[in-house]
Amino acid sequence: MSDNVFIQSIQVAGWPLVGGLPQQMQNALRRADDFIRLAVFVGARAIESVPLANIGPAEIGIFLGTTTGPLETNFRFLDTLFDDGEGRCSPTLFSHSVHNAAAGYLARLLNVQGQTLTMTSFGWPFLSALCEARAALVKKEVKVALVLGVEEESPVLIFDEGGGLEAARACRKGAVAWLLVDEQTAEISAVARLLDVLLEEHPCDPGFFFNRAGELVAPGITENCSQYPSALQAAVVLSKKVEDCSLGGESELAWGVEAPCGKASIFIDF
Amino acid sequence: MNISEGSVAISGLGCISAAGRDVEEHLQTFVERSIVPAPVPGRLFETSLPYPVFAVGPDPLSPWSRALLENLQPKISLIELSRTSLLVLDAALQAIRSAGLNLDKLQKKRVGICLGTTVGCAFNDEEYYRTWRRGGRPCAAPIFRYLGGNIASVLQAILCLRGPVGVITNACASGTDAIGVAKNWLNTDRCDLVIAGGADALSRIAYNGFASLMLADPDACRPFDQSRKGLNLGEGAGIMVLAKIRQDDRPALGWVHGYGTAADAWHPTAPHPDGRGLQAAIKKAVADCGGGIKKEQVSLINAHGTGTPTNDLAETTAVAAVFSQDSLPPLVSTKGFTGHTLGAAGGLEAIFTLLALAAGESKGSFRCGNPDPTFPYQPMSQGVQVALNGKIGISESLAFGGSNSCLVLEAAS
């Protein structure tokens, strides 16, 4: 049995969502927050890109990485606690403030019954999720892995470089989804083959995570991705680079990111 | 011993909860059976709600842990750490000592850290947010503490370790998943050892959240009992040191043979009524043992057993569906001793499972005087004690989001 893992589809989305959520999901998402909507938007598009008629629900997994989870929902829950008092908080907001709420929604709406794993780190959570998803495919735990990075910034936590609260600015939201498949499931339209993901994260000055100054990606630059949350920009650069290389007829890509919080390398061929 | 290719050794254990500050104290509590939940200590947070909790004492660090940490070079500031981080540190140091390791030895190895949490990854500084909401300019210190407070990174920084780090945030299954992911890391040679498990401190946010969902019991929780009304929250940490199996190592305390996880794809907070995902997770965990273990060899199931009406019914339904009438392992819940410790639960309960398997006996679920007769699988009631017919058991976790995860564990003889 082959250990090959293929990237079948890549989706990137900022906020507001362009194109809207799938019609058949809108009722189920009526109480969902933006974090969940982002995850469902990119996740549904990624998974719909490949016919999965022969794949059972238990053979599909979801691997989601995030730095802070649904921060705004967390604060909305606090609002209900402060304004309405104990015993009168919103149960919906509480259940949606849990970091794996988005993965749970995705599992329900896409009928995914395999592994669902949500990982939280301030470094590169999308790459952490990618690493675990690839391992699950190699182990034959799943045949299809939906890998997501979902981020939302909150005005509550935005500071300037001096440590003072920045003047209010638009907070960015965004998500990336990759659909990974095993060799048997891969379609001829697969974007690329994911050879390896090497990730080393280590402690650093937490100030880095405010604006991620000094995060270097190669090839690519994060400056072109300023519409996305800073914690997602490396994942967006990588996603666009993979798509560009695929369309441009490249044979391989060795991509890396380095920052005070560690380094990562992704190896792909086409 | 039923070692398969994917089995990993359990070299060390560390745990802290309201039921004890270490493994020995937990064992004593399990014998005495006198622990009761109490009103939320004012030192943690003020509340007007009536739900009791299982709280750890004021200082999560034992004198031994505190002395060790205060003597580390470079110096660390313990007052900057969250309560969840302190719980992790204490249990991790216990586990490292139990494994016969010290920091010098650890620092020469590739040591992964894989931890599950829920409260430990949330920004819940109420004072900061109140100030911000009023249009004030709060001090940035809580933000720095939050951004520097990833519990796996904190442990890695303080112990000066190198290796993969991960924080699993699969709600109440996080601790079990962290141990499962750690097993995979060892199987794929990402590291030599992993410090794995879960931790969570009590928080006013989660306390109010569970109250809002009407899942909390105003009295002591009674998992699996006919009169059960809900859960009591607790806090703690359960940490294992996991290692690759080598013949020349010191004797293992036991093994993690299998890990299985599956989604219900059903509801944000309620389990599938048939425990669909849990059934799949149990089967996958047994299959992950590589054929070396059959479900008939399972001699104990430590249930998630929160005491909520829906959880306990779904869980017994799933277990009944998986285990045939001629193989009915005892089913117990330990949450009557600890409360529901959220992200810590999977770590703590994996340890409790191993301890019961090592002892070769199990008592029924604490405060389950009358198991619900509608359950399709009858859990052991309080007062019943059985000798286990083997050393292999399962620890189960269910979670919001429909996650279900299981570990197949074996205690050394």
Side-chain angles (χ1 to χ4, degrees):
Chain A
M1 292 249 277
S2 158
D3 285 349
N4 284 328
V5 171
F6 291 86
I7 305 165
Q8 186 67 51
S9 167
I10 291 176
Q11 297 289 328
V12 177
W15 194 265
L17 299 173
V18 178
L21 291 154
Q23 187 69 34
Q24 72 277 17
M25 295 180 182
Q26 288 189 357
N27 189 43
L29 288 165
R30 66 194 185 283
R31 297 162 116 187
D33 59 21
D34 294 348
F35 191 90
I36 291 168
R37 287 167 185 267
L38 267 165
V40 171
F41 181 83
V42 292
R45 288 182 171 219
I47 213 160
E48 283 164 4
S49 67
V50 57
L52 295 173
N54 297 322
I55 304 293
E59 295 172 316
I60 308 171
I62 295 170
F63 301 80
L64 189 151
T66 181
T67 54
T68 61
L71 260 181
E72 281 298 291
T73 302
N74 199 45
F75 293 127
R76 295 295 77 75
F77 179 75
L78 276 174
D79 287 339
T80 69
L81 178 58
F82 294 167
D83 296 337
D84 304 333
E86 288 197 311
R88 289 184 286 275
C89 304
S90 162
T92 303
L93 286 170
F94 177 64
S95 65
H96 289 176
S97 73
V98 181
H99 281 208
N100 70 332
Y105 259 87
L106 267 168
R108 185 157 58 102
L109 294 173
L110 301 176
N111 192 27
V112 169
Q113 295 179 27
Q115 181 172 12
T116 56
L117 191 70
T118 299
M119 303 187 75
T120 299
S121 87
F122 291 112
W124 297 291
F126 172 74
L127 299 182
S128 295
L130 189 66
C131 205
E132 298 307 326
R134 185 178 180 281
L137 282 157
V138 170
K139 192 185 167 188
K140 317 299 181 201
E141 171 78 22
V142 291
K143 291 183 173 179
V144 175
L146 182 58
V147 190
L148 300 107
V150 187
E151 302 294 352
E152 70 171 358
E153 295 172 340
S154 166
V156 183
L157 300 193
I158 290 185
F159 277 74
D160 62 32
E161 289 180 5
L165 271 170
E166 264 188 18
R169 68 163 161 85
C171 285
R172 300 165 295 188
K173 303 171 190 182
V176 165
W178 288 19
L179 190 73
L180 303 185
V181 297
D182 65 7
E183 185 157 17
Q184 197 182 355
T185 312
E187 291 283 310
I188 193 78
S189 59
V191 177
R193 185 167 58 144
L194 179 62
L195 300 174
D196 211 351
V197 181
L198 304 176
L199 178 61
E200 279 180 49
E201 289 184 290
H202 50 68
C204 72
D205 183 337
F208 165 72
F209 299 117
F210 276 131
N211 54 16
R212 301 180 80 94
E215 181 176 57
L216 298 172
V217 298
I221 51 172
T222 55
E223 283 75 6
N224 293 343
C225 300
S226 58
Q227 70 271 40
Y228 298 100
S230 58
L232 193 69
Q233 288 175 7
V236 173
V237 171
L238 170 62
S239 301
K240 291 184 182 297
K241 184 55 66 179
V242 173
E243 287 184 316
D244 288 348
C245 289
S246 175
L247 292 171
E250 301 284 336
S251 61
E252 60 186 27
L253 170 67
W255 184 89
V257 57
E258 195 161 354
C261 64
K263 60 183 179 181
S265 303
I266 315 293
F267 299 95
I268 289 167
D269 68 9
F270 298 91
Chain B
M1 245 194 323
N2 294 269
I3 303 298
S4 73
E5 193 180 339
S7 299
V8 298
I10 301 168
S11 313
L13 303 174
C15 53
I16 177 168
S17 78
R21 300 201 63 102
D22 54 29
V23 167
E24 288 71 29
E25 283 193 18
H26 279 88
L27 287 169
Q28 188 67 28
T29 301
F30 297 158
V31 171
E32 292 172 355
R33 305 199 143 215
S34 57
I35 188 169
V36 289
V40 178
R43 59 186 156 75
L44 293 181
F45 55 86
E46 298 291 339
T47 180
S48 58
L49 298 181
Y51 307 108
V53 295
F54 287 87
V56 172
D59 187 355
L61 292 175
S62 69
W64 177 80
S65 297
R66 185 166 282 281
L68 190 150
L69 292 166
E70 286 175 349
N71 286 322
L72 283 181
Q73 294 295 336
K75 289 277 184 199
I76 54 169
S77 174
L78 293 174
I79 58 168
E80 292 292 312
L81 299 178
S82 70
R83 188 168 171 88
T84 303
S85 290
L86 293 173
L87 290 164
V88 166
L89 269 169
D90 192 77
L93 291 173
Q94 290 177 42
I96 290 164
R97 181 166 64 171
S98 153
L101 295 163
N102 58 39
L103 292 185
D104 285 343
K105 284 184 188 172
L106 273 184
Q107 286 160 1
K108 294 186 176 83
K109 295 176 182 284
R110 296 175 303 158
V111 181
I113 300 173
C114 193
L115 301 172
T117 192
T118 59
V119 172
C121 65
F123 180 78
N124 282 332
D125 193 300
E126 290 188 41
E127 189 182 335
Y128 175 96
Y129 185 57
R130 276 184 201 279
T131 306
W132 186 91
R133 235 171 57 119
R134 286 197 302 262
R137 291 175 63 85
C139 163
I143 309 293
F144 279 92
R145 274 201 297 275
Y146 172 60
L147 295 174
N150 177 287
I151 58 172
S153 299
V154 165
L155 192 60
Q156 188 186 41
I158 290 175
L159 303 184
C160 297
L161 302 177
R162 62 185 177 87
V165 288
V167 168
I168 310 299
T169 46
N170 267 12
C172 305
S174 301
T176 297
D177 286 313
I179 292 171
V181 169
K183 173 181 178 291
N184 291 343
W185 288 359
L186 291 166
N187 292 161
T188 52
D189 194 35
R190 287 186 65 189
C191 47
D192 306 311
L193 294 170
V194 191
I195 297 170
D200 257 326
L202 282 163
S203 109
R204 197 168 87 103
I205 313 302
Y207 181 82
N208 273 275
F210 280 94
S212 71
L213 286 161
M214 295 190 283
L215 293 175
D217 192 327
D219 299 311
C221 64
R222 298 170 300 286
F224 294 130
D225 191 85
Q226 192 172 7
S227 69
R228 71 196 184 283
K229 286 186 182 157
L231 55 80
N232 303 142
L233 285 176
E235 62 180 354
I239 303 289
M240 293 178 161
V241 173
L242 302 177
K244 295 176 186 172
I245 295 171
R246 294 202 185 91
Q247 296 301 321
D248 57 347
D249 282 354
R250 69 203 294 266
L253 303 173
W255 300 271
V256 182
H257 292 306
Y259 164 57
T261 178
D264 276 340
W266 178 252
H267 188 272
T269 56
H272 187 278
D274 296 334
R276 177 170 68 189
L278 179 58
Q279 290 185 43
I282 295 170
K283 291 173 185 170
K284 286 164 86 171
V286 172
D288 191 41
C289 300
I293 291 174
K294 309 224 173 322
K295 68 182 183 193
E296 291 74 19
Q297 291 173 265
V298 173
S299 60
L300 176 68
I301 300 174
N302 192 345
H304 191 55
T306 56
T308 64
T310 51
N311 175 90
D312 293 4
L313 179 58
E315 203 167 3
T316 50
T317 304
V319 172
V322 173
F323 289 90
S324 59
Q325 284 303 311
D326 48 355
S327 122
L328 300 174
L331 178 72
V332 299
S333 166
T334 50
K335 285 193 169 65
F337 297 107
T338 62
H340 189 352
T341 56
L342 305 180
L348 282 167
E349 289 161 21
I351 292 171
F352 300 161
T353 307
L354 197 75
L355 295 175
L357 293 167
E361 62 180 22
S362 178
K363 291 181 177 175
S365 301
F366 189 32
R367 291 195 203 90
C368 173
N370 298 295
D372 190 331
T374 66
F375 289 156
Y377 194 102
Q378 284 298 293
M380 276 171 68
S381 62
Q382 176 170 261
V384 175
Q385 181 167 344
V386 296
L388 303 179
N389 62 10
K391 295 288 183 189
I392 295 168
I394 284 179
S395 184
E396 298 177 352
S397 294
L398 282 70
F400 281 5
S403 291
N404 305 269
S405 300
C406 296
L407 297 167
V408 177
L409 304 155
E410 180 177 4
S413 296

